[in-house]
Amino acid sequence: MADIIRLLPDNVANQIAAGEVVQRPASIVKELLENSVDAGATDIQLIASESGKNLIQVSDNGKGMSETDARMALERHATSKIRKAEDIFSIYTKGFRGEALASIAAVAKMQMRTRLKGSELGTEIKVAANEIDSQEYCQCPEGTTIKVQNLFYNIPARRNFLKSDQVELRHMIDEFERVAMAHPELAFRFEHNGSELFNLPASSLRQRIVNIFGKRFNEKLVPVDEDTEVVKLEGFVGKPEFAKKTRGEQFFFVNNRYIRNPYLHKAVQKAFEGLLLEGSHPTYFLFMDIDPARIDVNIHPTKTEIKFEDERVIHSIIRTAVKHSLGQYNIAPSLDFEQDQQYNPPPNNQAVEAPGIYIDPSFNPFEKKDHQQKSTGGFSGSGSYPQHSKPKSRESQEWESLLNQIPEFPVEQEQKSLIPEEKLAPIAYLQVGGKYLLKSHGDGLMLIHQRRAHTRIIFERILRSLNNHQVAAQQLLFPSQVAFSPGDFQQILELLPSLREMGFDLDEFGQNELIVHGIPLYLENPNPGEILHEILEETKNHNQEHQEDLQEKLAAKMAKVAALKVGTVLEQEAMAHLVDELFACDNPYHSPDGRPTIINLASSDLDKTFG
Ligand code: ADP
Ligand code: MG
């Protein structure tokens, strides 16, 4: 039989290799930005259009390339960063495989203009389908500009595989943020479709984080700093009270390279153990400096995963250092985690009183009282923790001022609807701590979690009205402008159709801003900005493909915002009505997030308690 094995032609081999390196526009962004960092640039500009499908251009003021190097750079396995195999173990650059430019050139049209520092003239190379079209001298600034156009023009299948513009842009922003975070000492700019998404001057790390994620981050950051033989650890963690429901802001960098590592992630989680509310995640930006000989960056083609020689040691260093930082910042007091997350009593010096059982028959729910608001953690979910028996620290003062800022959310209307026309049976419920309803049930007790019950009721109401396409909305007296970080803005744009369906009346308004004209009726009158940010958090990482899930998620979130706050004192009738409505629900036994609303204590349970 004749020999049949052949070497693949270069362009085919490159296209196959490109499949690994260039999965989507964001991959190109990452490779080009990293090349500019490796080239010693201090100022790096990214310009893209149509989420990178049409154009991705990165310009830098780095060291540039000679005429020959410019051509060489496009060859596969062409790199200036290593010479021999051992060099891999002392690598401090981002790249070293020499594959990126060749791969990009295999799947897009590319133009490179580059001038060495001190050279008179630069070089311009044009490439299409892996073939060099032209190479000429040119006038250009020192440094390098690489322009990538018509991505996947020669592989329509890959092009069709790309997600919506918004999704692809989101990925590009992610990559941009990772490189920009790793190098606060360099200036970065990102312009998309003619508008500037980021303009980041060289700055401190803290400032860079704030510039990327928004001013609100400044007060949230606690520094971490630990220097050991194995690793030098630096960066910030977010104060636990600002922890989020999403896993968004979690960054590890090793030798200024963004990495993912589930094992080390657990180390941070451990350090936060007991400080976070269920379901929320710590924020962190942690930088490790490690001898490159003790890591292996080579196990993943796009290099976000790396192997550590001393993984366990690093794990425990991270855990201890983060714990230490949290402690130092006085935010790791002994906490009462049984507290409902919405319940935030003001800090004080007095011993905690035992909770009493009371009924307040004279209480008028239409009268707003101070204590109602005080015990309201606010819908923002950024609720702080109770800090009993502690002298007033800076933290607790901050905490108090936070409380004072909590906007008022009138709950009258909800309460009104809880009171039926006709009078119900006389005293049947006890309200405990503004939190639980208690009723004798058979020969035992039934306990109802007031807030969760109400959340369930509203949740089902919202879903019903969505199904019937009868969402009640109210126009705001004053339209409200809401600003977002560029990354968040892309995300909220994706949610617009769903939000409108839910009764929001809003539009894009200038750069990274929305204008809100109306909100769903059941939200009463809260701050639309806070709500939208809340909803955004709740839905980050949400899989776009499942529209129904998204709607449920949004409904659950809004129910939470609209539900009675812990500490709201209810009249008999209101309690009875609440329970009736609860039992009329499709699923009365759980809140939308799956936590119990009702607990029955049988007489035998009570017997046991009394011993
Ligand atoms: P790698 O980064 O792994 O070396 P690349 O294909 O990304 O491989 O780049 C190949 C080579 O081209 C690099 O090693 C570098 O010498 C050169 N190069 C690429 N981009 C730039 C740039 N922006 N400025 C200067 N040199 C560059
Ligand atoms: Mg590279």
Side-chain angles (χ1 to χ4, degrees):
M1 203 166 110
D3 298 335
I4 50 170
I5 297 181
R6 248 166 292 163
L7 276 177
L8 287 174
D10 265 2
N11 60 341
V12 179
N14 277 339
Q15 245 185 42
I16 293 171
E20 271 203 342
V21 181
V22 186
Q23 284 139 1
R24 52 179 10 140
S27 332
I28 297 181
V29 167
K30 171 180 191 285
E31 296 295 338
L32 295 184
L33 291 177
E34 290 190 347
N35 277 348
S36 295
V37 173
D38 283 347
T42 56
D43 197 339
I44 301 172
Q45 313 248 352
L46 165 63
I47 296 176
S49 69
E50 289 174 38
S51 308
K53 292 170 188 171
N54 191 37
L55 169 76
I56 299 170
Q57 176 180 310
V58 172
S59 308
D60 66 50
N61 63 349
K63 65 183 175 207
M65 282 173 263
S66 71
E67 208 184 318
T68 325
D69 279 354
R71 186 185 277 269
M72 271 297 284
L74 301 169
E75 297 289 328
R76 199 140 59 93
H77 307 305
T79 179
S80 56
K81 298 167 194 174
I82 57 172
R83 286 172 186 278
K84 46 190 193 309
E86 303 86 81
D87 290 350
I88 292 181
F89 302 107
S90 54
I91 200 110
Y92 272 108
T93 53
K94 313 262 173 212
F96 60 87
R97 300 163 152 258
E99 277 181 331
L101 293 186
S103 300
I104 297 168
V107 295
K109 296 194 172 143
M110 185 160 126
Q111 185 201 54
M112 174 157 84
R113 289 160 77 90
T114 183
R115 176 153 76 95
L116 276 177
K117 284 238 158 84
S119 266
E120 285 279 296
L121 279 176
T123 306
E124 182 189 276
I125 296 184
K126 287 185 180 155
V127 195
N130 235 14
E131 299 285 334
I132 294 191
D133 268 357
S134 67
Q135 173 159 7
E136 293 164 1
Y137 290 112
C138 72
Q139 297 285 348
C140 62
E142 284 181 346
T144 304
T145 294
I146 292 181
K147 192 170 170 180
V148 179
Q149 283 174 296
N150 297 355
L151 178 60
F152 298 139
Y153 75 102
N154 52 348
I155 321 177
R158 299 282 308 274
R159 197 176 166 94
N160 295 338
F161 205 66
L162 292 174
K163 295 272 167 54
S164 73
D165 273 6
Q166 259 145 21
V167 172
E168 294 301 339
L169 177 59
R170 177 70 239 172
H171 284 290
M172 299 204 325
I173 291 175
D174 283 345
E175 293 295 353
F176 175 87
E177 285 178 354
R178 288 167 188 171
V179 179
M181 287 267 294
H183 295 280
E185 76 284 4
L186 312 179
F188 290 89
R189 213 177 77 88
F190 183 179
E191 186 186 306
H192 181 255
N193 285 347
S195 61
E196 188 174 77
L197 294 184
F198 295 90
N199 190 347
L200 311 170
S203 67
S204 66
L205 174 61
R206 181 187 274 272
Q207 195 57 48
R208 174 64 44 103
I209 294 172
V210 168
N211 287 341
I212 292 180
F213 296 104
K215 282 205 192 72
R216 300 190 298 173
F217 261 77
N218 200 18
E219 51 167 332
K220 303 181 185 179
L221 301 174
V222 179
V224 175
D225 197 347
E226 192 74 58
D227 200 353
T228 71
E229 297 233 316
V230 184
V231 57
K232 182 170 159 43
L233 183 69
E234 266 179 323
F236 296 95
V237 292
K239 293 179 188 168
E241 59 264 42
F242 294 109
K244 291 187 172 178
K245 283 281 156 64
T246 65
R247 315 192 61 176
E249 275 87 56
Q250 304 181 327
F251 294 86
F252 277 128
F253 298 89
V254 170
N255 299 344
N256 292 327
R257 178 200 299 282
Y258 169 81
I259 63 142
R260 261 187 274 261
N261 188 308
Y263 179 63
L264 296 185
H265 169 73
K266 290 225 176 74
V268 182
Q269 265 180 332
K270 273 248 155 63
F272 272 86
E273 209 160 69
L275 293 173
L276 293 179
L277 296 164
E278 207 183 292
S280 59
H281 300 279
T283 295
Y284 56 85
F285 309 91
L286 292 174
F287 289 70
M288 293 170 247
D289 259 335
I290 301 177
D291 177 357
R294 303 179 82 97
I295 53 179
D296 180 359
V297 291
N298 212 4
I299 62 171
H300 192 278
T302 52
K303 294 165 292 189
T304 52
E305 278 156 37
I306 68 172
K307 241 179 10 209
F308 297 87
E309 203 173 285
D310 314 289
E311 202 166 48
R312 297 180 68 143
V313 181
I314 295 171
H315 181 282
S316 78
I317 292 170
I318 290 180
R319 203 189 59 202
T320 320
V322 171
K323 232 185 165 136
H324 181 75
S325 292
L326 290 174
Q328 258 194 348
Y329 274 73
N330 217 359
I331 44 190
S334 67
L335 299 174
D336 178 1
F337 297 104
E338 295 310 306
Q339 295 279 7
D340 187 287
Q341 72 181 83
Q342 297 291 333
Y343 184 50
N344 301 304
N348 56 40
N349 297 336
Q350 294 133 35
V352 187
E353 272 179 45
I357 295 178
Y358 63 90
I359 317 166
D360 183 0
S362 66
F363 183 76
N364 176 357
F366 305 108
E367 216 174 71
K368 216 173 302 144
K369 286 203 182 142
D370 218 27
H371 71 271
Q372 248 188 2
Q373 292 303 328
K374 273 264 164 72
S375 49
T376 296
F379 70 92
S380 72
S382 61
S384 212
Y385 295 91
Q387 307 195 356
H388 303 306
S389 323
K390 254 184 69 196
K392 260 189 198 163
S393 62
R394 188 171 51 81
E395 287 294 329
S396 72
Q397 280 164 12
E398 271 175 22
W399 185 90
E400 253 178 340
S401 78
L402 200 82
L403 260 186
N404 293 334
Q405 288 164 21
I406 289 170
E408 266 186 34
F409 312 126
V411 290
E412 288 94 325
Q413 188 163 330
E414 284 302 341
Q415 287 177 339
K416 220 179 281 171
S417 69
L418 291 173
I419 301 173
E421 297 296 304
E422 76 279 16
K423 285 265 170 196
L424 286 169
I427 309 248
Y429 293 95
L430 286 179
Q431 191 183 28
V432 186
K435 199 170 170 187
Y436 302 109
L437 309 185
L438 191 125
K439 185 184 193 279
S440 81
H441 178 65
D443 61 352
L445 277 179
M446 177 169 72
L447 283 156
I448 292 171
H449 194 292
Q450 174 182 309
R451 180 174 153 75
R452 287 184 197 167
H454 198 213
T455 311
R456 160 57 61 181
I457 294 166
I458 299 179
F459 173 66
E460 294 203 2
R461 235 186 254 164
I462 298 176
L463 289 186
R464 266 198 306 276
S465 61
L466 274 174
N467 282 337
N468 307 334
H469 303 286
Q470 290 177 333
V471 177
Q474 54 179 327
Q475 290 304 108
L476 294 175
L477 215 47
F478 304 102
S480 172
Q481 265 163 267
V482 186
F484 297 87
S485 72
D488 283 354
F489 190 62
Q490 292 312 315
Q491 204 109 16
I492 200 94
L493 286 185
E494 287 171 42
L495 291 178
L496 281 193
S498 304
L499 288 171
R500 288 188 180 127
E501 246 170 51
M502 315 237 19
F504 283 93
D505 176 3
L506 32 62
D507 284 302
E508 272 186 68
F509 189 75
Q511 199 181 337
N512 300 329
E513 281 191 23
L514 291 179
I515 185 152
V516 184
H517 300 287
I519 58 174
L521 191 62
Y522 45 80
L523 286 183
E524 294 281 317
N525 188 27
N527 173 343
E530 292 278 349
I531 287 207
L532 289 174
H533 278 285
E534 275 280 281
I535 288 174
L536 190 68
E537 282 317 313
E538 201 81 2
T539 51
K540 267 188 188 167
N541 303 341
H542 181 79
N543 192 342
Q544 284 300 304
E545 270 94 83
H546 298 101
Q547 192 57 31
E548 272 175 25
D549 288 3
L550 177 64
Q551 228 174 36
E552 273 206 9
K553 239 179 169 177
L554 287 177
K557 179 74 226 173
M558 306 235 239
K560 236 174 165 171
V561 173
L564 290 171
K565 304 296 176 230
V566 167
T568 309
V569 179
L570 295 181
E571 282 200 82
Q572 266 312 306
E573 294 92 320
M575 289 191 260
H577 191 61
L578 182 81
V579 178
D580 285 350
E581 281 209 71
L582 178 63
F583 282 109
C585 283
D586 289 340
N587 176 1
Y589 296 101
H590 292 99
S591 65
D593 55 6
R595 293 183 296 174
T597 50
I598 303 170
I599 289 175
N600 282 312
L601 288 178
S603 133
S604 56
D605 295 324
L606 296 174
D607 291 346
K608 253 181 261 159
T609 314
F610 281 101

